[in-house]
């Protein structure tokens, strides 16, 4: 029809409304016309129909306008509301499903939310006074004029408003407006009263808190979108004050990055990563912050981790290259220094170097971060052993308690660090030892300093980024080494003088490197500590920590100083921080135990509330990260690790302690795969304290692993009653539902998980998988279900493999389920074979998995069990072409040792069908002919 | 399909052409629409319910899937109906009748746990009801001589710092602020002086309640006046005139440092004021936009995103807008005084639901994209707006 617009009518005149030549109502003209106004007029004519109806031409004209001016008002048309026809089926279902689930959620919610008058009254009491009764005071202050005060409550009229000198008034208002602004900013910046007092969470239900936290977060997002980063940070902080969520921390970090507040950003990222170890955004932000703090090595670690999860992340790749380049640039310079210094160090001590530089040991290729760290560990262990054999005996005589010694031997095997303690008592022995351990009673004063050298060397060689000129000016360096010497000789007072000089000269020469300065301060602090000058020690430690947050030694020294000043709370916090950095420091562990007792005696069971929050240590500052033996719970709360048993006896009356120990033991058992035993422990835990949700989530995990889905579900329900946003519980309940084949409920739970935190990859995966089951096309037959169940297993195995690497790469203080589940990694093969006993493999892949597991453990019994449940004729199919020598052998052995006695017929059948397997002949040839 | 054509103004000739399109074309059209649906928000009329009375306002009960309709029965009595969304339908849970027609209501000054409703009626009475026991009001005052046109609350629902307060605007020309803890008398009263002509106050809102002291009230009048009263300093902070009656004003958020204010007018225009920077003489920078030829009855900001708002029109249409900030929100004028810079407004979506004016609109505070609106065709509609999280 487009060709038809009646040629006879062309050029016949003008249109009625706009006096446009009729000829303009033409494809060619419209195509060429660029005058939007003109086109709009044409469109109006076409739409009005006064020159006839040309739908296609109208459409064409619309498109032309759209292309020229997409925002044109002429394009706005009356449209009916969208209907199902405007969406794809999936979209429509999604929309409806979302509304429906919200409705049910709300209906349940409504029932729960019955008025709680008690709390309400309390909250009402906290309200500001009624305006006009008391509020006249602030008004008087602000306006400073009495008559207004008087009039305040009297009706005001426009004339009165008019009487004001507008300009004066406005400027006055502006002033006070600005004042208020700045005041509010100030308030929030000082992190203080506004945030804490304004969002008063007393009497709020979980739901309310969730709701309000969310609102505050949204406000933050909006402010962020507008570019008001300060305001955004404020609102995120408020959100966190109501309910800490990973998302809020993550957003806050982003806003802080915009504000170039790298340290805070780093801390917030750490918190996110505590909650969600594989949050990519947080990792990226962490890397960015590290980059600007010039912690290139740490940035590289972060980026590597990102690329591990998401190998295609272009941004991460780019940044990684950039970082590596920067590191390279720095490298050559630092290398020369390193060499020189190493020699110097080696004079003093020969073994410590590795320890200190493990954080960024020169190897640039952090891609293999894990290995690197493990390697470091090994070498460290090696050192330790050397030391131990050579000098270990000497230390026994010292004032250490026998307990410590025992612990030391116990833990020595586990992580080489505790050996240090032994060696420290040797007069000639190196330093770092006492960095950890020099309690006041211990004498080996000399040591502290030397370790600093290797340390600085370590960092010079490695961590790189800091500064090209990492070395101290020569004078300072000289002074420092003199100080070290004096310290070694026990002349602490003189050492202090030397260090002070060194600091002065360093400062005067404008040394920018915080690291070196921090070491000097830290050394001086050590001297002060030795002298018993605790307050100066603390001051120096503070300075050192300002320059180099979360460095171990200053923290430890400060902790010790606090302890000797009997400021136990601060000491406790510092020791805990130290333990976050390195969990293996026995002295810190012991002190924490000791202080905990003191604090309990002092404040009673609620002593924890008296503490200031323990800062979260950035990943980069943490050592022993590969040492994934700590579960989150034990890490965060428990004081017991190696000495758990003894503690148990000593403190058996203190239920809290006992509770924690039981839980830790339970966690350990979970890690070893002994779910039944772990269950018993957790049950005991619950007798002591039924409100602790982590125990329930942990028990739920055990139930899950034991395939007791119903119980697992109940546990999760309990948790969710206590704490209705527990993401772990949702996730586990989803798995339980899945096990119970209640896929709908499972999907709901997973959605909630994703709703709380959209970045949980496992949940997404599960969700996809389960949604497939929910698909009506899927016919739910028994066999397919079995298949599904196995799929899950495989999935879990891969999951825990991934976690394994996470545990090693990311910090070990991860709060959530990962460590607990990750702990299960060791028993993966066991678990698998156990489960395989229950269900028969239906595909070659499944079978292959089980066989691998069996092979890995040489578990003939398991193999026999496997063979028992397999229908012999299926054997060739299951084996496909995967029959290898080991499998063959273990089959034969299993058949011989276990099955032959019970069911010779089956053995025959198996052997018969085994001979039918694809690679049987080759295998037989290789096995029997070749060796012979 | 047919109805859709008719609604889009199709005429017989057009229908012929449309009818001629093949199945493939239709499929393609749907595909292209859903393609557009990916980017643009769509408005879906989820549920609707015919009413036997004229509803003036619909509002969500916080933390629930329920909403209220306030209105006037044909015989001149007031009515409050409580509806609940149930799968695929609306069910009427409760119906409360009151002697005077109810014009407006708010939960804004009540706590999340109590959820007491404050209403203004044709008789000028301000009442607060416990919906669980609605026989006797918890608080009642004859606040105005004539109808209360508009009401707003703050300090409750976790929105806004400071004391819970209610503001009412009436045809008698006064704007009064009430504290539910103080009986009988308002805590603040803004009225024209004796003898001066009283303007009909059509709309009032709270704003700027970002800490315990700060709070403003903004009122719009039938002559186009907009007045901003600062409750902290008890002064008129700013006023302007937008030439046509102000039907509705709203801050983008009540509980932050004043950010934006939208005012809709009688002749189909609305103005967005950037409230962050006030110039001593020029006041606040603004941008205006005309949506259609009919009255813009109401504006409501999306609770989950302050830069998205919906306006309801006299021709039964709804427009969804987004405000885009300028690169710099303030600049220095020739004398070096800070002045605001207005941004621009983009239309995200528009639909026509009815031939009668849509008198009120309310976004669900809990579910993003869910809203309810009442129209003078005596229908209440529950709408879903999709893709709001991707704007």
């Amino acid at each position: 029809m487009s060709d038809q617009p009646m040629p006879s009518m062309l050029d016949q005149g003008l249109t009625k409304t706009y006096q446009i030549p009729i000829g303009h109502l033409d494809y060619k003209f419209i195509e060429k016309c660029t005058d939007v106004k003109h086109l709009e007029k044409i469109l109006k004519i076409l739409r009005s129909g006064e020159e006839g109806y040309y739908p296609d031409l109208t459409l064409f004209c619309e498109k032309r306008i759209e292309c020229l001016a997409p925002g044109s008002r002429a394009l706005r048309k009356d449209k009916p509301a969208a209907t199902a026809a405007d969406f794809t089926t999936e979209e429509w279902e999604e929309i409806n499903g979302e509304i429906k689930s919200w409705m049910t959620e709300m209906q349940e919610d409504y029932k729960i939310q019955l008025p709680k008058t008690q709390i309400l009254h309390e909250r009402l009491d906290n309200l500001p006074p009624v305006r006009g009764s008391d509020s006249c005071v602030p008004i008087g202050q602000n306006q400073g004029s009495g008559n207004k005060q008087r009039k305040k409550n009297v009706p005001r009229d426009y004339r009165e408003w008019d009487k004001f000198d507008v300009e004066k008034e406005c400027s006055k208002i502006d002033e006070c407006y600005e004042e208020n602004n700045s005041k509010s900013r100030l308030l929030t910046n000082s992190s203080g009263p506004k945030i804490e007092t304004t969002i008063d969470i007393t009497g709020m239900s979980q739901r309310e808190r969730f709701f309000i936290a969310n609102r505050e977060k949204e406000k933050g997002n909006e402010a962020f979108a507008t570019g008001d980063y300060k305001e955004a940070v404020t609102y995120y902080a408020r959100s966190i004050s109501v309910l800490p969520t990973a998302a809020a921390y993550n957003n806050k970090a982003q806003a802080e990055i915009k504000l170039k507040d790298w340290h805070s950003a780093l801390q917030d990222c750490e918190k996110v990563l505590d909650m969600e170890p594989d949050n990519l955004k947080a990792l990226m932000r962490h890397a960015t912050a590290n980059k600007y703090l010039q912690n290139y090595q740490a940035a590289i670690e972060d980026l590597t981790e990102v690329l591990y999860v998401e190998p295609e992340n272009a941004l991460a790749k780019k940044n990684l290259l950039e970082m590596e380049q920067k590191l390279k640039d720095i490298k050559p310079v630092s290398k020369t220094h390193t060499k020189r210094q190493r020699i110097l160090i080696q004079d003093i001590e020969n073994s410590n170097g590795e320890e200190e530089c493990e954080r960024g040991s020169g190897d640039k290729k952090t891609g293999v971060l894990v290995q690197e760290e493990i390697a470091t560990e090994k070498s460290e262990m090696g050192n330790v052993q050397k030391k131990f054999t050579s000098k270990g005996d000497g230390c026994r005589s010292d004032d250490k308690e026998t307990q410590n010694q025992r612990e030391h031997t116990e833990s020595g095997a586990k992580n080489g660090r505790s050996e240090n303690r032994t060696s420290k008592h040797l007069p000639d022995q190196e330093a770092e030892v006492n960095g950890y351990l020099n309690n006041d009673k211990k004498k080996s004063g000399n040591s502290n300093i030397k370790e600093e050298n290797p340390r600085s060397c370590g960092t010079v060689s490695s961590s790189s980024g800091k500064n090209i000129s990492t070395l101290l000016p020569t004078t300072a360096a000289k002074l420092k080494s003199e100080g070290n010497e004096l310290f070694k000789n026990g002349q602490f007072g003189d050492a202090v003088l030397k260090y002070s000089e060194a600091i002065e000269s360093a400062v005067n020469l404008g040394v920018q490197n915080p690291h070196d300065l921090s070491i000097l301060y830290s050394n001086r602090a050590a001297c002060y500590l030795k002298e018993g000058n605790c307050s100066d020690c603390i001051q120096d430690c503070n300075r050192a920590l300002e320059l180099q947050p979360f460095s171990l030694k200053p923290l430890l020294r400060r902790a010790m100083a606090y302890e000797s000043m009997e400021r136990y709370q601060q000491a406790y916090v510092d020791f805990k921080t130290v333990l976050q950095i390195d969990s293996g420091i026995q002295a810190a562990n012991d002190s924490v135990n000791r202080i905990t007792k003191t604090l309990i005696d002092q404040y009673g069971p609620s002593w924890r509330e008296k503490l200031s929050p323990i800062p979260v240590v950035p990943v980069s500052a943490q050592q022993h990260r590969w040492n994934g033996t700590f579960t989150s719970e034990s890490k965060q709360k428990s004081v017991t690790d190696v000495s758990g048993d003894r503690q148990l006896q000593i403190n058996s009356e203190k239920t809290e302690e006992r509770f924690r120990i039981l839980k830790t033991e339970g966690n350990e058992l979970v890690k070893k795969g002994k779910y039944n035993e772990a269950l018993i422990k957790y049950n005991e835990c619950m007798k002591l304290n039924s409100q602790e949700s982590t125990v329930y989530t942990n028990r739920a995990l055990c139930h899950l692993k034991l395939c007791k889905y119903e119980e697992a579900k109940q546990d999760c329900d309990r948790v969710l009653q206590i704490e209705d946003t527990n993401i772990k519980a949702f996730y586990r309940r989803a798995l339980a539902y899945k096990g119970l084949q209640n896929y709908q409920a499972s999907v709901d739970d997973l959605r909630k998980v994703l709703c709380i935190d959209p970045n949980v990859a496992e949940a997404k995966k599960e969700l996809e998988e389960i949604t497939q089951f929910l698909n009506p096309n899927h016919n739910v037959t028994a066999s397919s279900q079995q298949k599904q169940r196995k799929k899950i297993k495989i999935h879990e195995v891969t999951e825990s493999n991934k976690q394994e690497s996470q545990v090693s790469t990311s910090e070990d203080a991860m709060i959530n389920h990962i460590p607990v589940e990750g702990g299960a990694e060791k028993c993966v093969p066991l678990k698998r074979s156990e489960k395989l006993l229950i269900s028969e493999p239906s595909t070659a892949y499944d079978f292959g998995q089980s066989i691998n597991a069996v092979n890995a453990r040489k578990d003939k019994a398991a193999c026999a069990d496997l063979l028992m449940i397999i229908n012999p004729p299926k054997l060739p199919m299951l084996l496909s072409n995967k029959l290898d020598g080991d499998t063959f052998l273990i089959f034969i052995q299993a058949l011989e040792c276990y099955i032959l006695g019970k069911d010779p017929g089956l053995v025959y059948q198996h052997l018969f069908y085994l001979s039918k397997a694809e690679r049987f002949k080759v295998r037989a040839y290789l096995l029997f002919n070749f060796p012979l | 399909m047919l109805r859709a054509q008719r609604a889009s103004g199709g005429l017989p000739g057009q229908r012929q052409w449309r009818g001629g399109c093949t199945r493939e074309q239709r499929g393609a059209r749907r595909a292209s629409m859903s393609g557009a649906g990916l980017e643009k928000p769509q408005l879906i009329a989820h549920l609707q319910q015919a009413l036997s009375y004229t509803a003036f306002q619909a509002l969500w009960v916080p933390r629930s899937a329920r909403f209220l309709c306030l209105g006037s029965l044909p015989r001149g009595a007031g009515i409050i109906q409580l509806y609940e969304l149930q799968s695929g339908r609306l069910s009427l849970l409760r119906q409360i009748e009151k002697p005077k027609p109810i014009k407006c209501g708010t939960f804004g000054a009540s706590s999340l746990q109590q959820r007491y409703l404050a209403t203004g009626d044709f008789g000028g009475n301000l009442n607060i009801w416990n919906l669980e026991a609605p026989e006797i009001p918890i608080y009642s005052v004859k606040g105005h001589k004539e109808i209360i046109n508009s009401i707003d609350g703050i300090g409750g629902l976790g929105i806004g710092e400071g004391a819970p307060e209610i503001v009412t605007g009436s045809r008698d020309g006064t704007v009064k602020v009430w504290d539910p803890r103080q009986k009988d008398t308002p805590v603040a009263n803004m009225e024209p002086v004796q003898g001066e002509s009283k303007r009909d106050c059509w709309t009032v809102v709270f704003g700027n309640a970002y800490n315990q002291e700060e709070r403003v009230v903004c009122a719009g009048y039938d002559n186009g006046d907009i007045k901003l009263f600062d409750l902290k300093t008890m002064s008129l902070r700013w006023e302007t005139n937008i030439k046509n009656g102000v039907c509705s004003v709203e801050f983008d958020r009540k509980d932050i440092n004043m950010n934006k204010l939208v005012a809709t007018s009688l002749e189909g225009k609305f103005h967005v004021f950037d409230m962050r920077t006030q110039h001593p003489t020029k006041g606040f920078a603004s941008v205006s936009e005309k949506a259609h030829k009919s009255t813009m009855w109401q504006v409501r900001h999306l609770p989950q995103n302050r830069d998205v708002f919906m306006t309801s029109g006299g021709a039964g249409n709804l427009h969804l807008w987004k405000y885009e900030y300028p690169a710099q929100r303030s600049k220095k004028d020739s004398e070096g005084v800070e002045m605001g810079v207005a941004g621009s407004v983009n239309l995200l979506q528009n639909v026509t639901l009815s031939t009668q004016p849509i008198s009120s609109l309310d976004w669900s505070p809990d579910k993003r994209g869910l809203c309810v609106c009442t129209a003078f065709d005596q229908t209440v509609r529950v709408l879903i707006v999709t893709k709001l999280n991707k704007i």
Side-chain angles (χ1 to χ4, degrees), chain A residues 204-481:
Chain A
M204 278 191 204
S205 65
Q206 264 299 319
R207 281 226 165 267
E208 259 176 282
R209 284 170 62 180
F210 183 73
F211 174 68
I212 286 169
N214 212 19
R215 271 187 56 87
E216 296 297 318
K217 196 182 79 198
E218 271 161 8
K219 285 198 247 174
N221 290 349
E222 291 164 353
F224 184 88
T226 325
D228 258 328
Y229 302 120
K230 269 190 192 164
E231 195 179 306
V233 168
T234 309
Y235 281 118
Y236 290 135
R238 277 164 69 95
S239 170
I240 290 165
S241 81
V242 179
L243 191 72
T245 58
Y249 275 120
N250 214 345
N251 292 356
K252 187 162 161 246
Q254 178 67 6
E256 280 157 352
I257 284 176
K258 293 276 184 191
L259 288 171
K260 302 204 175 11
D261 184 358
W262 311 116
H263 282 289
S264 315
L266 210 60
Q267 278 181 19
D268 286 329
C269 288
E270 308 291 354
K271 282 185 191 125
V272 180
L273 293 173
D274 275 354
M275 296 184 213
E276 292 164 15
D278 52 349
N279 188 316
L280 288 187
K281 272 193 211 164
L283 276 170
M284 287 295 286
R285 282 164 199 172
H286 199 252
T288 315
N290 268 325
K291 177 177 142 190
Y292 286 100
L293 288 170
Q294 303 192 322
N295 292 334
Y296 297 120
Q297 197 65 42
I300 286 176
E301 283 173 29
D302 292 331
L303 292 168
T304 323
E305 220 168 300
V306 171
L307 288 175
Y308 180 83
V309 184
E310 200 176 89
E312 294 309 309
N313 193 320
L315 190 65
K317 274 184 192 165
K318 200 188 115 211
N319 283 339
L320 188 60
L321 276 178
E322 195 186 320
M323 292 295 101
E324 277 170 357
Q325 191 58 46
K326 282 208 170 141
L327 258 189
K328 250 184 230 163
D329 293 347
I330 291 155
K331 203 79 193 191
V333 189
S334 60
K335 230 176 207 165
T336 54
H337 292 318
T338 322
K339 267 181 197 153
R340 213 178 53 205
Q341 241 206 351
R342 251 211 191 124
I343 297 160
L344 194 143
I345 302 146
Q346 272 160 358
D347 289 350
I348 309 169
E349 83 170 10
N350 33 25
S351 52
N352 284 344
E354 297 96 323
E355 170 129 13
E356 292 298 336
C357 56
E358 73 195 33
R359 204 202 291 183
S361 59
D363 193 350
K364 266 176 291 165
K365 284 166 191 123
T366 30
V368 278
L369 181 79
V370 189
Q371 289 166 11
E372 183 190 273
E373 282 182 350
I374 289 166
T376 328
E377 181 183 34
K378 267 185 201 150
S379 64
E380 187 184 315
M381 293 271 269
N383 287 339
V384 163
Q385 251 141 28
K386 245 184 273 160
K387 274 186 227 166
F388 193 55
T389 45
S390 58
K391 304 151 178 174
D393 286 354
C395 62
R396 300 280 151 106
S397 56
D398 273 314
D399 42 8
K400 243 178 282 159
E401 307 83 351
T402 41
Q403 184 188 342
N404 277 356
Q405 273 181 18
R406 228 177 310 145
E407 273 166 29
H408 135 73
T409 29
E410 276 166 16
S411 58
K414 234 193 201 166
N415 72 38
R417 202 160 280 260
S418 54
E419 255 77 0
N420 296 332
R421 201 174 354 99
T422 345
S423 45
K424 91 176 148 227
H425 294 276
L426 303 168
D428 290 342
Q429 194 40 284
E430 281 67 35
E432 108 241 66
V433 168
N434 86 336
Y436 302 145
L437 297 165
N438 56 1
N439 289 341
D440 293 352
K441 10 173 176 160
K442 312 197 173 162
K443 34 187 158 173
S444 67
N446 54 357
S447 32
N448 256 349
I449 307 124
K450 287 178 225 153
E451 93 225 49
E452 305 296 353
N453 274 336
R455 179 180 198 184
S456 66
C457 134
T459 23
V460 171
S461 66
S462 59
S463 78
S464 63
K466 258 44 327 149
N467 230 316
I468 297 168
S469 64
T470 341
L471 282 176
L472 287 169
T474 40
T475 46
K478 213 174 122 198
L479 285 165
K480 184 178 151 192
S481 61

Side-chain angles (χ1 to χ4, degrees), chain B residues 47-107:
Chain B
L47 297 169
Q48 59 180 350
Q49 173 82 41
L51 305 172
S52 57
Y53 58 93
T54 306
F56 295 114
Q57 194 179 6
L59 74 164
W60 290 98
V61 180
R63 303 299 302 148
S64 75
R66 303 166 180 211
F67 63 85
L68 297 172
C69 283
L70 315 176
S72 155
L73 287 164
R75 60 187 149 82
I79 183 167
I80 301 173
Q81 280 190 331
L82 177 64
Y83 285 96
E84 183 171 51
L85 261 69
Q86 287 172 354
S87 46
R89 68 195 177 87
L90 288 176
S91 74
L92 176 63
L93 296 184
R94 182 155 212 163
Q95 176 162 334
I96 302 157
E97 289 192 21
K98 293 290 162 200
K100 295 278 185 200
I102 295 167
K103 179 68 184 22
C104 49
T106 179
F107 284 103

